[in-house]
Amino acid sequence: MNQNITFLLNNSAVTAVLNPAAVTLDFLRSCKLTGAKEGCKEGDCGACTVICGTMENDKVIYRTVNSCLVPVMNIHGSHIVTIEGLNLNNSQLSPVQSAFLSEGAAQCGFCTPGFIVSLTAFFLSSGNLKNNNILDFIDGNVCRCTGHSSIIRAAVNIKKEIGNAPDEFEKRLLYLINKNIIPEYFLTVKEKLTELYVDPTDNNNSDMPDYYVGGGTDLFVQKPDEMLSSDLSFIFKRNTADNVFEDDGYCCLRSSSTVTDILESALLKNIFPGITDFSELFGSTPIRNNATVGGNINNASPIGDMTAFFLALDSDVILTSDKSERAVSLKDYFVSYKKTVRSRGEIIKFIRFKIPKKNFFINFEKVSKRTYLDIASVNTAIYIEYENERISKINISAGGVFETPKFLSLASEFLTGKKINAEVIKEAVRIADAEISPISDARGSESYKRLLLSRLIYTHFIKLFPELIDIKETV
């Protein structure tokens, strides 16, 4: 069913009746904004990158997204900036574009608009420019002409030139406008978004949809034709409330929370100071900006990275429908390959876990064919409470070794109450090996996955308790 979509496209308000499942890239190109290119249509190459500005707590927050994976319904009420919108009413190149020109960083040019947009987003998105690595903002962009060295030089040079932009957002906008990084119309975006925004749920179809969609970063890769021909309902990110919050001793994450929301959450950083260390293992910046925790869990992939993390935290899934609400332990949520206990008509309201009060340790490990931007062959997370030189509580999760995300209950039970030493961990690895049943596929053979999990379990303990485990004893 077509729905009204209203948003700000560069500097023009757009209201259109569109198929809500149509992807933003196709709509942009139909508007003759062809700077965004269709490369992989999977969110891997970044040729279609655009900047998406959304109102959050009365502020405009800018992040990059892969327009090939963002359904147009998800840009309702947003500010979409394409490469064309960076030189609006100005024939002069921006400093970012000039840096590419001077370093010879544009070769065939197909990827260049995506790189320019991503680097511009760095200056719009960074809270403290002095502490952010500008190269992190192009981790989702690929140059097929192997021009990365010149692109990196261009990025580093422009960071040196513009890196003193103020932290306070309104002052930074003025600074970036004066430097010709962005056009002057950015000063009016907040007012325009406030005026044009209409809650899209007011017009939702009352009939039950075929799919509830969060970020759609996997659905639109796996089932593009099916998605385009289906009736969809979207799980919207609410702009007036925090997506990660504390409630009665629990840390709660709305299903619409993106991976970026999780990694930037002050609450989660306080609980897990090292959580940002995991970030580079979770997709690319544009994927993290769009992928949601609800989508990652409901996708029911045996190798979901966020699923493994929250499984180790003994999390609950809060399911809601128009008739009832219930809590299900994440341990019990997956029943078979790609199947969950969720009934038709239920959606995830939020994920929650008890905020640890005792001395605890947590770690996440992942092995994939590529170090970055790749699906895991095997992943695993561990949560340990350690008191009086013994493990008082432990949860170990594993992905890629079973038909569902796997909670290693027997290995966790064995380790509870034990002192940490090499012999104990060896026995736990043996027990864990008996709990799993990996299959041989494109990501590795059965024996390889068994080996990976055993080594990753050792890695957990070697990283967390280096004084108790000698790496030589694990060989």
Side-chain angles (χ1 to χ4, degrees):
M1 176 179 291
N2 289 347
Q3 295 185 9
N4 287 334
I5 314 294
T6 303
F7 59 100
L8 191 64
L9 180 55
N10 294 327
N11 195 31
S12 300
V14 175
T15 299
V17 180
L18 298 168
N19 176 354
V23 293
T24 300
L25 173 63
D26 293 339
F27 175 73
L28 293 176
R29 293 183 65 81
S30 73
C31 296
K32 309 302 181 185
L33 297 174
T34 54
K37 310 296 185 185
E38 180 179 323
C40 62
K41 211 70 178 283
E42 295 185 357
D44 285 338
C45 73
C48 67
T49 304
V50 297
I51 301 171
C52 180
T54 56
M55 290 288 293
E56 298 179 19
N57 299 323
D58 201 38
K59 297 179 181 179
V60 183
I61 305 296
Y62 285 103
R63 296 188 174 100
T64 53
V65 294
N66 301 115
S67 61
C68 70
L69 296 181
V70 178
V72 291
M73 197 62 180
N74 276 9
I75 66 172
H76 180 89
S78 301
H79 178 209
I80 298 300
V81 185
T82 69
I83 185 72
E84 292 87 351
L86 296 178
N87 298 93
L88 205 59
N89 302 324
N90 187 352
S91 59
Q92 182 181 352
L93 293 178
S94 76
V96 179
Q97 293 167 321
S98 296
F100 263 59
L101 185 63
S102 63
E103 291 294 338
Q107 297 190 35
C108 78
F110 193 87
C111 72
T112 303
F115 275 102
I116 298 296
V117 167
S118 293
L119 291 172
T120 302
F122 168 77
F123 297 104
L124 286 167
S125 303
S126 304
N128 186 340
L129 299 177
K130 299 177 182 63
N131 295 332
N132 276 291
N133 185 353
I134 192 170
L135 300 184
D136 291 343
F137 274 69
I138 54 174
D139 63 359
N141 296 87
V142 174
C143 172
R144 290 183 173 87
C145 300
T146 67
H148 286 104
S149 294
S150 53
I151 291 170
I152 290 171
R153 289 197 302 271
V156 171
N157 289 343
I158 192 62
K159 169 69 186 304
K160 291 178 181 177
E161 181 180 343
I162 312 293
N164 292 322
D167 291 338
E168 200 278 313
F169 186 67
E170 297 300 330
K171 293 180 180 178
R172 193 189 329 150
L173 283 183
L174 288 170
Y175 179 88
L176 296 178
I177 289 167
N178 290 333
K179 291 289 187 178
N180 197 34
I181 293 285
I182 57 174
E184 190 173 356
Y185 75 82
F186 272 77
L187 291 174
T188 66
V189 167
K190 179 180 176 180
E191 179 183 356
K192 290 178 178 178
L193 288 183
T194 302
E195 290 177 354
L196 65 83
Y197 185 76
V198 177
D199 189 345
T201 58
D202 290 344
N203 300 318
N204 270 358
N205 181 12
S206 59
D207 296 331
M208 189 170 293
D210 296 326
Y211 295 98
Y212 289 100
V213 180
T217 53
D218 191 59
L219 277 174
F220 280 89
V221 174
Q222 302 296 331
K223 301 180 178 182
D225 295 333
E226 187 175 344
M227 297 298 288
L228 287 170
S229 61
S230 298
D231 179 23
L232 307 180
S233 183
F234 291 83
I235 312 302
F236 290 97
K237 182 176 181 178
R238 302 298 178 183
N239 299 324
T240 56
D242 291 332
N243 276 283
V244 183
F245 59 95
E246 183 177 353
D247 181 44
D248 194 25
Y250 284 91
C251 178
C252 303
L253 303 94
R254 301 185 193 281
S255 64
S256 58
S257 302
T258 64
V259 177
T260 297
D261 290 331
I262 292 169
L263 297 172
E264 293 182 352
S265 163
L267 175 60
L268 282 170
K269 285 181 180 179
N270 184 55
I271 300 171
F272 311 121
I275 192 169
T276 52
D277 296 339
F278 305 154
S279 64
E280 61 187 15
L281 299 178
F282 296 143
S284 64
T285 296
I287 292 294
R288 292 193 293 269
N289 288 342
N290 197 38
T292 63
V293 63
N296 193 263
I297 289 173
N298 267 333
N299 189 24
S301 168
I303 48 176
D305 290 337
M306 298 307 297
T307 303
F309 183 77
F310 287 108
L311 194 55
L313 291 172
D314 198 13
S315 303
D316 294 324
V317 177
I318 309 303
L319 294 169
T320 187
S321 68
D322 57 357
K323 298 179 181 179
S324 63
E325 185 170 300
R326 61 181 175 133
V328 180
S329 172
L330 192 55
K331 296 176 184 176
D332 304 321
Y333 193 66
F334 308 101
V335 294
S336 61
Y337 180 70
K338 288 283 190 174
K339 301 293 183 183
T340 71
V341 300
R342 184 172 58 89
S343 302
R344 181 168 169 79
E346 287 185 314
I347 62 173
I348 294 181
K349 185 177 183 180
F350 53 84
I351 317 299
R352 72 180 185 191
F353 62 88
K354 272 282 189 184
I355 297 176
K357 300 298 183 183
K358 299 181 179 180
N359 187 31
F360 72 93
F361 303 84
I362 190 164
N363 191 48
F364 174 84
E365 297 292 335
K366 170 181 176 178
V367 173
S368 50
K369 289 190 172 183
R370 295 193 307 257
T371 303
Y372 307 111
L373 309 182
D374 201 3
I375 298 170
S377 295
V378 172
N379 58 20
T380 172
I382 193 169
Y383 172 89
I384 299 176
E385 292 179 5
Y386 194 61
E387 298 177 288
N388 302 319
E389 298 185 351
R390 291 185 182 272
I391 297 172
S392 58
K393 182 178 181 180
I394 182 168
N395 299 321
I396 309 175
S397 67
V401 293
F402 201 72
E403 65 176 349
T404 66
K406 182 68 173 174
F407 179 77
L408 299 177
S409 57
L410 297 180
S412 298
E413 182 180 353
F414 166 78
L415 286 166
T416 303
K418 298 291 194 304
K419 288 188 174 183
I420 296 175
N421 58 59
E423 288 304 314
V424 166
I425 306 308
K426 281 182 182 179
E427 180 60 16
V429 166
R430 187 193 65 78
I431 294 171
D433 188 70
E435 290 190 73
I436 63 176
S437 54
I439 61 171
S440 298
D441 58 20
R443 297 184 187 94
S445 66
E446 175 191 356
S447 60
Y448 176 64
K449 293 178 182 179
R450 288 184 182 277
L451 176 63
L452 282 182
L453 181 60
S454 70
R455 305 321 295 175
L456 291 180
I457 292 175
Y458 280 123
T459 301
H460 286 315
F461 287 93
I462 292 169
K463 275 190 175 182
L464 297 175
F465 305 96
E467 72 283 1
L468 300 179
I469 301 291
D470 185 344
I471 192 170
K472 295 177 182 178
E473 295 179 292
T474 67
V475 177

